[in-house]
């Protein structure tokens, strides 16, 4: 490898393009992209406030205020709602982080600026997915901490870790849906589209109130929605799930494939239109 | 996990190499019913700054996007350093400043720069980039806190941070006031001392004149004039002749070196390269001619005359 000492002064400008073979690390590019994405979004109140504070505030109102008094089947409300508000948070972080993030940069021309650089496109997509994963993790950790400290929820470390793993991996189908929204919605309409999908879906999937409390016609719709299956998997970890875990896995895997196909079709359409 | 570093060899003498840094050959680009470029050809020779000068909608941005591999020609060929513009090696040797609706506003200047620098194998030191773009002291500002001129300079910094051999600047000063525009010109000139090749698009003749080695005038997707700034100005410079005359516009148009004619009330307005010869001819043909005035046409007017006359022919 040929390298050259570069003096930090004006004369380098006179030398013209430098000669030499350098390396750039693809791993480092992915890391820098993910870091910049996290810093950038952590400074946007319109992203952080709804994504972080809604699940946490709702958990305080419904999970801790009613706390041990009510029980949802075999577990306390405080335990039950950790799983469902955890799901709620994961869905929000994935749909807003990936969906609104992709739609904004794509629609406002920033993606084109990046595409003109040697940035591998995987770094851009990867950064959005890592952002969703990190914010999901923060929400799960915060809810778990509150459940332990104020909700009297006692689970073994193994169960907590299993719950975290299920919820964090559960962001995958919603990141796929986010990609599809990001490539179908415009930069200004994307947040509204996400809200329109996510709020009714969260309610009907039993993320706000235990599923059994919902009107029966809502329950009939709810069983076909992806957050329902993730919530039931998470509840299964603490012994309060309905249906078979295998069926919920299969449903989430199918949704993931469906959303990825939709995202791929939308991506191809956009590529043809913008970069044709 | 194994890391696959991409090793990108550079030519030993990129500036003196014979291969043109950027070239469009007989390129047409169609969007639906619109022909954005119509058998358009041009070349950026090594180490030169070529300005693509034309009004809005002339096809400048399309040419830029073709050279960056962000669009593909309907026919003809785009080449960057002799290769397909999408070639990974080209992306590393090219820096671009594009017109962008909105920049992510919640990253600091230095954060944006550190990120973009990581894309390149041989980036310029950040201090040097900040200096070259006139951003010293602003590195901790969020993008959203920058003024219009500072924002353009920050985009310029992102374009140069990879130490590009070919720099592409798409309307770098559009919408800026005179002072901010001149500041960017200074930064471009300073950066050029490195012997890089540059494509600049602009609709300001003054900008092309201030910076370019060569100007290609583009209108409606076609190249209508090409030469040094002096050539272009001389070509279109001319004088504006105003007079009240009984001669009709068709006759006036046939006079030697006249590029455009129009009527301004009772007054006929001509732009002519050789104003003395035209005036002599006018007086000869119309003894009743009155209110004769001859003025320098001015740069913008000359440029308008150039594109306008082309429009009339078409």
């Amino acid at each position: 490898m040929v390298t050259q000492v570069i003096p930090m002064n004006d004369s380098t400008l006179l030398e013209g393009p430098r000669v030499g073979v350098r390396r750039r690390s693809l791993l480092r590019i992915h890391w820098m992209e993910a870091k910049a994405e996290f810093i950038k979004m952590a400074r946007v109140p319109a992203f952080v406030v709804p994504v972080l504070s809604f699940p946490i505030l709702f958990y305080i109102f419904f999970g801790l205020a009613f706390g041990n008094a009510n029980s949802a089947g075999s577990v306390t409300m405080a335990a039950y709602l950790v799983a469902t508000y955890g799901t709620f948070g994961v869905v929000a972080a994935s749909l807003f982080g990936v969906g609104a993030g992709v739609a904004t940069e794509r629609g406002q021309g920033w993606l084109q600026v990046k595409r003109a650089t040697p940035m591998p496109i995987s770094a851009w997509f990867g950064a959005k997915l890592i952002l969703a994963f990190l914010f999901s993790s923060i929400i799960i950790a915060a809810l778990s901490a509150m459940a332990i400290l104020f909700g009297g929820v006692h689970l073994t470390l193994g169960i907590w870790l299993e719950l975290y793993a299920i919820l964090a991996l559960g962001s995958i189908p919603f990141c796929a849906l986010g990609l599809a929204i990001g490539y179908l919605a415009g930069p200004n309409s994307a947040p509204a589209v996400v809200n329109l999908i996510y709020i009714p879906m969260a309610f009907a999937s039993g993320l706000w109130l235990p599923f059994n409390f919902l009107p029966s016609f809502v329950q009939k719709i709810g069983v076909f929605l992806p957050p329902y299956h993730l919530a039931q998997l998470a509840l299964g970890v603490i012994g309060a799930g309905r249906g078979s875990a295998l069926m919920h896995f299969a449903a989430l895997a199918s949704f993931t494939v469906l959303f990825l196909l939709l995202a791929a079709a939308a991506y191809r359409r956009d590529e043809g239109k913008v970069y044709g | 996990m194994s890391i696959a570093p991409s090793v990108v060899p550079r030519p030993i003498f990129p500036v003196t190499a014979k291969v043109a840094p950027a070239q469009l050959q007989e390129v047409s680009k169609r969007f639906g019913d619109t022909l954005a470029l119509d058998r358009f050809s041009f070349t950026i020779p090594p180490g030169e700054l070529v300005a693509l000068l034309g009004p809005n909608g002339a096809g400048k941005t399309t040419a830029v996007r073709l050279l960056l591999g962000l669009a593909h020609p309907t026919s003809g060929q785009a080449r960057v350093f002799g290769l397909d513009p999408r070639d990974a090696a080209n992306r590393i040797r090219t820096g671009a400043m594009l017109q962008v609706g909105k920049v992510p506003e919640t990253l600091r200047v230095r954060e944006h720069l550190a990120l973009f620098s990581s894309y390149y194998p041989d980036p310029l030191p950040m201090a040097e980039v900040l200096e070259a773009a006139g951003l010293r002291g602003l590195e901790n500002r969020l993008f959203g806190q920058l003024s219009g001129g500072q924002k353009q300079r920050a985009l310029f910094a992102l374009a140069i941070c990879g130490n590009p051999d070919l720099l592409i600047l798409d309307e770098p000063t559009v919408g800026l006031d005179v002072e901010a525009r001149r500041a960017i010109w200074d930064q471009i000139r300073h950066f050029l001392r490195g012997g890089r090749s540059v494509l600049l698009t602009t609709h300001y003749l003054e900008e092309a004149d201030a910076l370019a080695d060569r100007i290609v005038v583009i209108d409606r997707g076609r190249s209508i004039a090409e030469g040094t700034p002096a050539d272009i100005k001389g070509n279109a410079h001319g004088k504006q002749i105003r007079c009240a005359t009984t001669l009709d516009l068709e006759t006036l148009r046939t006079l030697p070196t006249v590029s455009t004619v129009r009527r301004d009330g009772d007054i006929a307005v001509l732009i002519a390269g050789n104003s003395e010869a035209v005036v002599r001819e006018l007086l000869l043909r119309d003894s009743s001619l009155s209110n004769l005035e001859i003025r320098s046409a001015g740069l913008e007017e000359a440029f308008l005359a150039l594109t306008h006359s082309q429009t009339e022919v078409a």
Side-chain angles (χ1 to χ4, degrees), chain B residues 8-9 18 23 43-44 68 95 126 134 159 164 212 232 247 252 263 267 270 286 290-291 294:
Chain B
V8 182
K18 289 242 165 59
Q23 192 168 42
T43 300
I44 301 179
L68 289 171
M126 194 183 296
I232 296 292
L247 296 170
L252 294 175
R263 225 168 237 300
I267 304 291
L270 297 76
D286 179 7
S290 61
N291 289 334
I294 304 173

Side-chain angles (χ1 to χ4, degrees), chain A residues 114-218:
Chain A
K114 295 238 191 192
R115 292 282 294 268
T117 72
M119 175 197 74
I121 192 78
S122 58
W124 188 71
F125 284 124
K128 306 264 183 268
L129 301 183
I130 290 169
L131 173 84
F133 188 79
L134 287 176
F135 267 83
S136 296
S137 300
I138 293 171
I139 295 162
I140 300 165
L143 290 174
S144 305
M146 284 195 302
I148 293 168
L149 295 175
F150 309 116
V153 177
H154 300 292
L155 303 171
T156 64
L157 181 65
I159 296 289
W160 280 120
L161 290 178
E162 201 181 327
L163 185 62
Y164 169 75
I166 291 283
L167 287 174
L169 289 175
S171 65
I172 292 169
F174 301 100
C175 285
L177 178 57
L179 277 180
I181 295 170
Y183 268 91
L184 288 169
N188 298 318
S189 63
V193 170
V194 168
N195 273 316
L196 276 176
I197 292 175
Y198 142 80
I199 291 189
M201 196 165 72
F203 174 74
S205 298
L207 304 188
W208 292 352
L209 297 167
F211 197 72
N212 295 335
F213 293 16
L214 299 176
S216 66
F217 81 95
V218 176

Side-chain angles (χ1 to χ4, degrees), chain A residues 6-10 12-29 32-37 39-41 43-44 105 108-110 112-120 123 273-276, chain B residues 1 3-8 10 12 14-15 29 65 68 70-72 91-92 98 100-104 106-108 111-112 114-116 118-125 127-128 142 155 158 163 165 190-191 193-194:
Chain A
I6 301 159
M8 285 265 289
N9 64 34
D10 211 21
T12 52
L13 288 174
L14 292 165
E15 289 167 9
R18 287 192 290 272
V19 177
V21 179
R22 296 288 179 96
R23 285 157 189 276
R24 62 184 191 134
S25 154
L26 287 180
L27 188 66
R28 181 160 179 273
I29 296 174
M32 293 290 288
E33 196 69 44
K35 192 173 80 169
E37 183 70 19
I39 294 171
K40 183 178 80 186
M41 294 308 283
R43 290 182 185 140
V44 179
E105 296 193 358
Q108 291 173 339
W110 189 242
Q112 279 206 47
V113 172
K114 295 238 191 192
R115 292 282 294 268
T117 72
M119 175 197 74
K273 210 166 60 181
V274 181
Y275 302 101
Chain B
M1 189 186 235
I3 307 166
S6 56
V7 180
V8 182
R10 289 201 174 196
I12 305 298
V15 172
K29 178 64 184 174
R65 297 185 70 239
L68 289 171
L70 297 176
H72 310 304
R91 290 250 156 86
I92 282 170
L98 299 177
V100 54
K102 216 170 163 202
V103 175
T106 52
L107 281 181
R108 298 182 197 287
E111 290 164 347
H112 263 300
L115 175 61
F116 272 60
S118 76
Y119 301 154
Y120 299 89
D122 187 20
L124 292 170
E128 202 174 291
L142 296 176
L155 289 175
L158 295 181
N163 192 17
D165 296 331
H190 185 76
F191 193 67
R193 286 158 55 210

Side-chain angles (χ1 to χ4, degrees), chain B residues 164-208:
Chain B
D165 296 331
L166 171 65
L167 183 61
I168 295 183
L169 307 168
D170 191 17
E171 306 252 13
T173 67
V174 74
L176 298 184
D177 59 37
V178 177
E179 219 169 296
R181 183 175 301 162
R182 285 181 196 280
I184 290 199
W185 292 357
D186 285 341
Q187 266 107 44
I188 294 172
R189 270 199 213 99
H190 185 76
F191 193 67
L192 284 182
R193 286 158 55 210
R196 299 160 209 269
S197 314
V198 183
L199 168 64
L200 167 81
T201 75
T202 180
H203 59 259
Y204 303 114
L205 177 58
E206 197 193 352
E207 183 161 291

Side-chain angles (χ1 to χ4, degrees), chain B residues 208-227:
Chain B
D209 185 32
L211 297 170
D213 298 302
R214 265 167 8 96
I215 297 176
V216 176
V217 182
I218 180 174
D219 188 38
R220 298 178 176 209
R222 310 190 70 148
S223 164
I224 59 170
E226 186 172 350

